[in-house]
Every structure is written in structure tokens, then in C-alpha cells.
């Protein structure tokens, strides 16, 4: 039984601006190397949940009930300074639009190096060597060349890889991927999904995958949470949620794939294989 | 679905398109050839930069063809003068629906006025007749009449996209080009718009459905055309292409589409296809 990296217990976040709860009673736990998926449409509370986990709730949002334990520590008791130390080094995140998180006028390799120097205290030369290693680890072929390129010279898929390299640089225990593949072409999306799967296996990284697309989440996760209107409508193993969904909304998400996606063309044997 | 292949509605034959000029001139479409039969639903699939929107824009005359022929209903469009083009556009035989209706619909026009506009441009109808036609289109796309006086910013994304489709339909087009029409919508709306498009097609309206994701349109297309780096690399009935993809890129596309049933599978297959495609460059 692996120790738990993150335990969320009955998390409730209140929006003081609209005076309605944004998230109500969300509970889950993730251990090293485990992957949990959070699925829901816009406004379902998935991003607010992630921001609560990162200690980055927007103004007027407040955790009013429940608890978050990160590596055994209750995050409600953390000071701002402790949060800053923890964020990046213990819990990290990548989001939908990688270009907006990078400085357009600094080569991407130097931005990665900077994170390493600040978060791990490595001297310049060692940080550079480590940065090149990390670029290779996120499947960038010519790391030396990409190191000195600017964000505008790289494709969306390449930028997302750089962001993942930056996120895993301080060796966090848990990574949140919030719609990290949404803006990418399907073939590139599959590459990033494969990369994330690799990282959980190789580094024992715990992963939270957030997406509006159930199938994207299903590629990676052992467990899935379906959120709607800030509440959990369904939660269970991938098997349970995909093959015997209980809630009408989950059925809608699945039905969409069955009716319009590739699933309808896959034969019964493919399905048996997938279940096995 | 009528499969009258003897007389295609849209016929694209040996189409070459270039962007830029002088030393920067670059070929983006390489002798693309395909057709769409009346009432057929055809998917044009490819990654960012593969040229799918360029082809669509060439069909409606927004981008010039350097070589080859585009004809609609037997009429060659490639040689049209600009005034002949204007007349053809006004006829509304081919209509185009964009990805983001918030940007394609005029934010200051009510949905009624936006939907009515193509008819007013065509001319020859009085107010009552125009409003009648607008109401008929609203019914056709399942939009409630109570939304007639709303602005695009006052309705949901799905309603907005249905209004954009109603606007395209009001000229009774024979070919509707829809460019990633559901990419910006959430599940419930996506299902509704896809269902609507499926219902509309057949009979008089053919659909050219542009998407980067084979997986999201497989269920509504009769045939798919796969575009890779400006070239048609594969074309055929949807189920054939999915079950027996021939070109490595099509294979990668099929292997990359997230499915519920094959979740997590295909990893090694994808890696080997990527290597093949990488080597081909």
C-alpha cells in the first residue's frame, strides 16, 4: 500500500462574489505513481478544485469546509512563505495555453534553468546540464538546439513539453495537468499523454488529469471523478465509470463518444481486449 | 445518403495553392483531388497547418488556386471574374460556418437580423417574407423564437452556433462547409450541434466537415479525406479508413484518437508510426 501524496476530504470552496458554493464536498486521495482524472464541463468546479490544491484560489473564493493534506501536512495551516516553498517543489501544474506561461523574450532553456536555480539551488553550470537532461526526458530530440530557442519558434506541443519539464524540474511529488492537451492536435495530444504516463511510471509522480473529455482522462487514469455544478456526480475506477456509469451526466459524456467518435467502429474484440 | 458519384456536387481536381510571393512563395496544397456528392457528409481531417482550412477557403474563393479546378454543381469556379464571384457568393450555393460564432456573428445584430442578412443581400423579398424565412430556419435548427431579439453575447455557445448554422442555411445552400463547428462547445452542446448537422445533411444539403480530430466526427461522416502536409494521403468510407488505415499518418491519427474502449492501448504502435513519419520528412 503506497503512502498517500495528497488527500482531499470533503473540500468545499465558497464563491463570496456570487455567494454560491463553487465546489461542494469533493474527496479523493492520490498515491505515488497513481493517476486520478477529474472530468467536467466549463463551470463544473474542476479548475477551482485545482487552484485550491495549489493554494492559489482567486480573490473572493475561500475554502469553507473540508481539508487538503499534501505529503501529510494540512495545507490550511501553511503560511504564505511555506506555500511558496511547497509550490513547484512538492506540487506543480501545467495548464492549457503553454505560451502564456513563458517569457517571450528569453530562450526556453534559460527559463527552465532559472527554475532549477531558484527551486533546487543548483549552480549555473549544473543547472544547465540538468535542464538539458530534463528536455531529453520530455522527449525533445535535439535538446541543445531547443534550449536556445524562443517560445515563438516552437509549436504548441513543444511548448507544452517545455512547461512539463519546468513543472517536474524541482521533482514534485504530484503534478496537476489542467486541460494540458486541450489546445493540441490529437496526434500531439497523444504524445503528451504518453509522456505523462511515462513520468508517472519512471518517477513515481502522482498525477491529477483535468479535462472536459472523458476519453482523454480514461487514457491515463486509474480513478475518475465526474464533477458537475461543483459537486461530484460520480466517482470510481475507470472500469466502473466507463463501463457501468450510474449518473445520467456520465452517460451523456460516454454516449457522445459512442455516437460520434471512433468507438462505434471498434469491434467487440477490441473492447474485450481493452477490458482485459 | 445519395451517393450519386456520377455527378459530384463539389469537385476539386488537382488543386495547387501557394502562399507568399517571390523567394518566400511556398506551396501549401499539392494537387488535392476529391469530390463530395449531393447530400453527402464528408470529413476533411488534418492537423494544424495541413491545409484543410486553405482548401475550404479556396472553395469559397477567398484564396486563389494556382492550378487545378474547383467546381460546384458542374460550374467551374476557378476561372470566375471577381464580379462573377460576387454573384456566386450572393446566390448562397456554398455557405461557410466558422469555429467560433462569437467572432463570426456581428455582436451588435440580433440573432434575427444576423440570420436574415444573407437574404437581404440576395434581395427581392419584403419584410414579412424575410421574417417568415428566419422563423423557419430557427425551427430547423431547434432554436426557440424567444431568442430572435437577443444579441450573440446573450445566448449560450450552442445556441450561438445553431444561429450561425441557421444563417448559413437561409440561402438554401447545396454545400455547407463547417470548420471545427463544435470544438469550442461543451459536451451537451456538442452533441446537439452534431445531431443537428447529421439531420440537415442528406437530401439537398451536402456537408464538408473540417476537423483536426477524426475521433470527434467519425459518427456523422459518410466518408473522410485525410490531409497531411498539403496532400490528400487517404480517402474513403469512414469505417474503412478507421478500420484499415493505410498511410502512416492516418494510422497515427486513428491510434491517437482518445477512445473509451481502447484506453491506454496503442502506445508502441504510435511510437513506431511517429518514427516512420519522422523518417519520411
Amino acid at each position: 500500500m503506497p503512502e498517500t501524496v495528497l488527500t482531499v476530504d470533503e473540500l468545499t470552496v465558497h464563491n463570496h462574489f456570487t455567494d454560491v458554493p463553487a465546489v461542494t464536498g469533493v474527496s479523493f486521495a492520490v498515491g505515488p505513481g497513481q493517476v486520478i482524472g477529474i472530468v467536467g464541463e466549463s463551470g463544473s468546479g474542476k479548475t477551482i478544485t485545482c487552484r485550491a490544491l495549489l493554494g492559489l484560489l482567486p480573490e473572493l473564493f475561500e475554502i469553507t469546509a473540508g481539508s487538503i493534506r499534501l505529503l501529510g501536512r494540512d495545507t490550511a495551516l501553511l503560511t504564505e512563505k511555506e506555500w511558496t516553498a511547497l509550490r513547484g517543489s512538492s506540487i506543480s501544474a501545467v495548464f492549457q495555453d503553454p505560451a502564456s506561461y513563458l517569457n517571450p523574450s528569453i530562450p526556453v532553456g534559460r527559463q527552465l534553468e532559472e527554475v532549477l536555480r531558484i527551486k533546487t539551488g543548483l549552480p549555473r553550470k549544473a543547472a544547465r546540464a540538468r535542464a538539458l537532461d530534463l528536455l531529453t526526458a520530455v522527449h525533445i530530440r535535439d535538446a541543445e538546439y531547443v534550449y536556445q530557442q524562443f517560445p515563438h519558434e516552437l509549436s504548441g506541443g513543444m511548448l507544452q513539453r517545455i512547461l512539463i519539464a519546468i513543472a517536474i524540474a524541482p521533482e514534485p511529488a504530484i503534478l496537476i495537468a489542467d486541460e494540458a492537451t486541450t489546445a493540441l492536435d490529437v496526434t500531439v495530444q497523444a504524445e503528451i499523454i504518453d509522456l505523462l504516463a511515462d513520468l508517472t511510471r519512471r518517477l513515481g509522480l502522482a498525477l491529477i488529469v483535468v479535462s472536459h473529455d472523458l476519453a482523454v482522462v480514461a487514457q491515463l487514469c486509474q480513478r475518475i471523478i465526474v464533477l458537475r455544478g461543483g459537486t461530484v456526480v460520480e466517482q470510481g475506477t475507470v472500469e466502473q465509470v466507463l463501463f457501468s456509469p450510474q449518473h445520467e451526466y456520465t452517460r451523456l459524456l460516454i454516449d457522445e463518444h459512442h455516437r460520434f467518435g471512433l468507438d462505434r467502429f471498434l469491434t467487440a474484440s477490441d473492447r474485450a481486449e481493452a477490458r482485459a | 445518403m445519395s451517393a450519386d458519384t456520377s455527378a459530384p456536387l463539389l469537385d476539386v481536381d488537382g488543386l495547387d495553392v501557394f502562399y507568399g510571393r517571390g523567394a518566400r512563395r511556398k506551396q501549401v496544397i499539392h494537387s488535392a483531388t476529391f469530390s463530395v456528392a449531393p447530400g453527402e457528409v464528408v470529413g476533411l481531417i488534418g492537423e494544424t497547418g495541413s491545409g484543410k482550412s486553405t482548401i475550404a477557403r479556396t472553395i469559397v474563393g477567398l484564396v486563389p488556386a494556382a492550378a487545378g479546378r474547383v467546381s460546384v454543381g458542374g460550374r467551374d469556379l476557378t476561372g470566375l471574374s471577381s464580379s462573377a464571384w460576387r454573384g456566386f457568393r450572393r446566390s448562397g450555393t456554398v455557405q461557410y460556418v466558422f469555429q467560433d460564432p462569437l467572432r463570426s456573428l456581428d455582436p451588435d445584430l440580433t440573432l434575427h437580423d444576423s440570420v436574415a442578412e444573407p437574404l437581404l443581400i440576395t434581395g427581392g423579398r419584403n419584410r414579412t417574407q424575410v421574417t417568415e424565412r428566419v422563423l423557419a430556419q430557427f425551427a430547423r435548427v431547434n432554436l426557440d423564437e424567444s431568442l430572435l431579439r437577443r444579441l450573440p453575447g446573450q445566448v449560450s455557445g450552442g445556441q450561438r452556433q445553431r444561429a450561425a448554422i441557421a444563417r448559413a442555411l437561409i440561402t438554401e445552400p447545396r454545400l455547407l462547409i463547417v470548420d471545427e463547428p463544435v470544438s469550442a462547445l461543451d459536451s451537451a452542446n456538442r452533441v446537439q450541434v452534431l445531431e443537428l448537422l447529421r439531420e440537415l445533411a442528406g437530401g439537398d444539403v451536402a456537408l464538408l466537415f473540417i476537423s483536426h480530430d477524426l475521433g470527434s466526427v467519425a459518427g456523422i461522416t459518410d466518408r473522410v479525406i485525410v490531409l497531411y502536409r498539403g496532400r490528400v494521403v487517404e480517402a474513403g468510407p469512414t469505417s474503412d479508413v478507421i478500420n484499415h488505415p493505410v498511410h502512416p499518418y492516418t494510422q497515427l491519427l486513428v491510434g491517437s484518437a482518445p477512445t473509451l474502449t481502447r484506453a491506454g492501448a496503442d502506445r508502441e504502435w504510435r511510437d513506431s508510426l511517429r518514427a516512420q513519419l519522422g523518417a519520411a520528412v
Side-chain angles (χ1 to χ4, degrees):
Chain A
M1 191 65 189
E3 61 170 306
T4 308
V5 176
L6 179 79
T7 312
V8 179
D9 188 26
E10 290 293 320
L11 177 71
T12 298
V13 179
H14 195 78
N15 178 348
H16 289 293
F17 184 69
T18 56
D19 203 28
V20 286
V23 173
T24 314
V26 173
S27 302
F28 62 92
V30 204
Q34 290 182 346
V35 188
I36 193 161
I38 303 180
V39 185
E41 59 200 46
S42 353
S44 61
K46 48 193 202 304
T47 295
I48 288 296
T49 304
C50 292
R51 293 188 67 158
L53 301 180
L54 289 162
L56 289 173
L57 279 176
E59 233 177 294
L60 298 173
F61 283 77
E62 187 195 3
I63 297 176
T64 49
S67 68
I68 300 168
R69 294 186 77 82
L70 178 60
L71 297 169
R73 298 171 76 178
D74 184 344
T75 61
L77 307 174
L78 294 176
T79 63
E80 203 44 53
K81 208 172 161 190
E82 287 171 316
W83 252 128
T84 307
L86 221 58
R87 218 179 284 126
S89 353
S90 296
I91 184 164
S92 197
V94 281
F95 301 97
Q96 179 167 345
D97 178 16
S100 62
Y101 298 92
L102 289 166
N103 186 325
S105 53
I106 299 177
V108 293
R110 276 194 33 219
Q111 301 190 49
L112 173 55
E113 191 186 309
E114 186 187 353
V115 171
L116 283 164
R117 294 183 63 202
I118 291 170
K119 283 289 177 184
T120 64
L122 281 178
R124 188 183 292 273
K125 229 176 146 182
R128 187 188 152 88
R130 175 94 181 103
L132 289 171
D133 285 348
L134 279 163
L135 292 179
T136 311
V138 294
H139 304 168
I140 286 175
R141 262 175 235 117
D142 195 349
E144 291 267 359
Y145 182 71
V146 173
Y147 185 95
Q148 45 81 43
Q149 285 191 298
F150 289 93
H152 75 267
E153 297 176 293
L154 296 164
S155 68
M158 288 291 269
L159 290 176
Q160 197 58 284
R161 268 174 247 249
I162 307 278
L163 261 289
I164 291 172
I166 290 176
I168 62 169
E171 299 177 0
I174 183 162
L175 177 70
I176 298 173
D178 186 353
E179 302 278 9
T181 63
T182 304
L184 306 174
D185 277 327
V186 262
T187 53
V188 182
Q189 166 169 287
E191 282 174 43
I192 299 292
I193 289 174
D194 291 346
L195 168 63
L196 290 172
D198 266 1
L199 295 174
T200 61
R201 252 173 260 139
R202 258 188 325 171
L203 311 176
L205 185 71
L207 184 64
I208 299 178
V209 185
V210 179
S211 176
H212 64 281
D213 189 341
L214 191 54
V216 167
V217 160
Q219 309 303 305
L220 279 164
C221 304
Q222 289 102 38
R223 294 185 64 81
I224 294 179
I225 297 171
V226 183
L227 273 184
R228 194 179 201 195
T231 56
V232 176
V233 298
E234 185 144 4
Q235 171 158 204
T237 63
V238 170
E239 289 283 291
Q240 289 165 345
V241 174
L242 295 188
F243 299 113
S244 46
Q246 299 302 308
H247 195 274
E248 179 198 355
Y249 179 64
T250 316
R251 286 200 203 104
L252 171 83
L253 294 175
I254 291 172
D255 182 55
E256 187 192 341
H257 276 276
H258 283 310
R259 265 199 296 172
F260 301 111
L262 289 190
D263 289 85
R264 69 198 307 245
F265 296 99
L266 300 175
T267 59
S269 65
D270 286 334
R271 219 160 285 156
E273 228 170 82
R275 281 202 211 214
Chain B
M1 290 127 260
S2 52
D4 187 8
T5 41
S6 58
L9 171 65
L10 169 70
D11 194 25
V12 175
D13 188 16
L15 180 69
D16 285 349
V17 178
F18 289 80
Y19 280 146
R21 52 181 67 209
R24 295 187 143 244
R25 195 165 131 98
K26 185 171 182 281
Q27 187 163 7
V28 290
I29 302 297
H30 302 261
S31 67
T33 299
F34 64 91
S35 63
V36 177
E40 204 181 16
V41 183
V42 176
L44 186 58
I45 314 293
E47 63 192 352
T48 312
S50 61
K52 51 195 194 303
S53 293
T54 298
I55 288 184
R57 291 168 66 86
T58 311
I59 294 169
V60 293
L62 296 171
V63 171
R69 210 170 54 95
V70 174
S71 59
V72 171
R75 184 172 180 196
D76 186 355
L77 301 179
T78 22
L80 289 188
S81 66
S82 54
S83 70
W85 255 117
R86 262 198 304 281
F88 179 74
R89 278 205 203 104
R90 276 186 191 162
S91 74
T93 312
V94 179
Q95 290 282 26
Y96 204 119
V97 177
F98 297 88
Q99 175 173 350
D100 182 3
L102 200 53
R103 279 159 59 181
S104 60
L105 291 174
D106 187 330
D108 297 327
L109 285 187
T110 63
L111 295 186
H112 170 278
D113 291 354
S114 266
V115 173
E117 201 177 28
L119 268 195
L120 300 176
I121 292 168
T122 315
R125 287 182 184 80
N126 66 34
R127 262 183 106 92
T128 331
Q129 286 168 322
V130 167
T131 298
E132 250 169 47
R133 289 279 295 275
V134 170
L135 283 173
Q137 298 315 314
F138 261 58
R140 207 164 160 197
V141 300
N142 308 320
L143 270 184
D144 198 89
E145 283 179 23
S146 64
L147 302 177
L148 282 167
R149 298 288 152 212
R150 299 269 189 95
L151 297 174
Q154 298 169 331
V155 299
S156 76
Q159 290 167 336
R160 213 150 40 220
Q161 194 58 290
R162 276 181 279 157
I165 294 169
R167 175 185 158 100
L169 288 175
I170 201 161
T171 58
E172 303 293 341
R174 300 196 56 210
L175 176 65
L176 195 61
I177 301 176
V178 289
D179 196 344
E180 304 271 10
V182 295
S183 305
L185 304 178
D186 63 22
S187 301
N189 283 314
R190 212 158 41 222
V191 169
Q192 283 180 13
V193 170
L194 285 171
E195 259 169 6
L196 170 66
L197 290 171
R198 175 77 267 188
E199 281 165 25
L200 289 173
D204 288 337
V205 191
L207 215 63
L208 185 62
F209 199 130
I210 299 175
S211 177
H212 72 283
D213 184 8
L214 179 58
S216 68
V217 300
I220 81 159
T221 53
D222 302 318
R223 278 195 306 127
V224 290
I225 295 158
V226 179
L227 207 61
Y228 183 62
R229 302 192 171 194
R231 289 184 168 83
V232 173
V233 295
E234 193 143 356
T238 306
S239 67
D240 286 2
V241 171
I242 290 171
N243 289 314
H244 311 286
V246 177
H247 190 274
Y249 178 71
T250 318
Q251 294 179 352
L252 183 60
L253 203 57
V254 172
S256 297
T259 62
L260 302 174
T261 38
R262 276 200 315 219
D266 304 336
R267 172 69 204 269
E268 281 167 20
W269 187 36
R270 283 201 289 269
D271 281 339
S272 80
L273 290 168
R274 278 175 204 139
Q276 272 186 57
L277 281 170
V281 175

